[in-house]
Amino acid sequence: MLIIVTGASSGFGYHISKQLIQHGHRVIGIARRAEHLQHLQQELGRDFFPLALDLSQPYVYLEEKFKSIPERFVLENVDVLINNAGLALGLERADNAQIDDWNQMVDVNIKGVLAMTKLVLPFMVKKKSGYIINMGSIAGSYPYPGGHVYGATKAFIKQFSLNLRADLAGMGIRVSNVEPGLSAGTEFSYVRFRGDTERVKALYEEVDAIQPEDIANTVLWLISQPKHININRIEIMPISQSSSALDVVKGSVYADKFVSP
Ligand code: 8X3
């Protein structure tokens, strides 16, 4: 199959691309960093086509970039789109967060997914076959302090995936939302902790987090399901993680209005 993977140069995207190629697929790997993609191309060979582009750029720029694609990788023949690129910028409380960070998360996590979907979907509809796999997060279902916009972008992706299903039902096109929890071995946590390696190290100590290979395995499993099956959502946590109980903060502003049970 011909498969597009966004965010292909590292983390989940790298492992997904690698496993897909090992299983005989062709991959168009998208990332911002051209030199990382070039290395990947040397490693993965001629079935990997590196396409350096910034998903937060306007749609016309993306369309233009795809015009340079060689025959073996043309959009018309794309079977699967894996919208993997995404980021969580910072963990500050909402009132201390930066508006630029919020905008960047919206640009990549939402607008990037929309642009890529818009780009491939008409071709999938035309051939009545295709598969869109979105990388959501458990943060789209469960809030955490400092997760404000990141979690909201992933909630958008979860709902967008379900709404696409509504439009595409009966048209031979599948849509899944993959929702991983705490994952190690990617740049994700370094970005979320703004490069604070000590905090990253402390977070992962003794938790046995999800590995990028686990997510690549999940993607391979999804695309190997029979065509009449649609996995709508798949939520994955390391065994050490769970959704915690609702929080109650003592002494909050309105505490005097609470009546003790
Ligand atoms: C992030 C998931 O559990 O690290 O997508 O907040 S978690």
Side-chain angles (χ1 to χ4, degrees):
M1 287 195 276
L2 176 58
I3 302 177
I4 297 181
V5 180
T6 69
S9 65
S10 63
F12 292 167
Y14 164 71
H15 286 274
I16 291 169
S17 302
K18 191 170 155 183
Q19 287 210 28
L20 288 173
I21 288 190
Q22 282 167 353
H23 283 78
H25 301 292
R26 278 169 297 141
V27 171
I28 301 171
I30 293 178
R32 268 178 312 134
R33 296 169 295 192
E35 68 286 7
H36 285 228
L37 286 176
Q38 287 309 331
H39 287 141
L40 212 54
Q41 216 252 325
Q42 279 158 19
E43 180 189 341
L44 301 179
R46 66 183 294 272
D47 285 336
F48 181 83
F49 181 76
L51 188 60
L53 60 81
D54 181 353
L55 285 171
S56 63
Q57 292 299 306
Y59 182 69
V60 281
Y61 157 90
L62 298 189
E63 271 187 319
E64 204 50 43
K65 283 278 184 180
F66 272 87
K67 289 192 180 141
S68 62
I69 286 217
E71 187 63 29
R72 276 187 83 225
F73 294 94
V74 286
L75 272 182
E76 283 85 339
N77 297 333
V78 168
D79 300 293
V80 184
L81 165 64
I82 303 177
N83 279 315
N84 162 69
L87 76 173
L89 277 172
L91 277 165
E92 297 82 10
R93 210 176 53 198
D95 55 314
N96 292 327
Q98 306 293 320
I99 190 72
D100 287 349
D101 289 345
W102 283 7
N103 285 333
Q104 196 181 339
M105 287 188 273
V106 168
D107 283 347
V108 178
N109 300 4
I110 296 182
K111 290 188 187 169
V113 170
L114 297 183
M116 287 305 303
T117 304
K118 188 74 187 74
L119 209 56
V120 300
L121 200 49
F123 299 111
M124 289 183 173
V125 168
K126 205 164 163 195
K127 56 184 180 162
K128 292 200 167 24
S129 136
Y131 197 167
I132 297 173
I133 299 178
N134 291 327
M135 199 55 68
S137 165
I138 62 162
S141 301
Y142 312 104
Y144 66 84
H148 31 74
V149 170
Y150 174 68
T153 63
K154 294 302 181 180
F156 177 98
I157 294 305
K158 179 167 70 173
Q159 194 60 31
F160 180 55
S161 305
L162 291 174
N163 285 355
L164 278 177
R165 289 272 297 119
D167 276 11
L168 300 170
M171 301 189 74
I173 301 169
R174 295 183 282 176
V175 186
S176 298
N177 197 41
V178 179
E179 303 168 14
L182 187 68
S183 306
T186 73
E187 291 173 355
F188 181 87
S189 281
Y190 291 91
V191 175
R192 182 155 63 174
F193 282 123
R194 300 199 186 283
D196 186 336
T197 43
E198 286 310 308
R199 283 181 78 189
V200 174
K201 219 173 114 201
L203 174 66
Y204 287 106
E205 236 153 34
E206 294 180 37
V207 297
D208 216 353
I210 295 170
Q211 298 297 318
E213 291 88 341
D214 300 324
I215 300 303
N217 287 339
T218 304
V219 166
L220 275 169
W221 177 77
L222 285 173
I223 63 170
S224 63
Q225 293 309 296
K227 287 209 159 163
H228 65 286
I229 295 292
N230 193 93
I231 308 294
N232 297 339
R233 298 175 50 214
I234 183 160
E235 185 181 295
I236 310 157
M237 289 184 191
I239 201 163
S240 55
Q241 188 177 34
S242 67
S243 49
S244 57
L246 293 175
D247 204 11
V248 175
V249 178
K250 304 281 182 199
S252 68
V253 182
Y254 301 110
D256 57 332
K257 300 214 171 80
F258 294 150
V259 180
S260 304

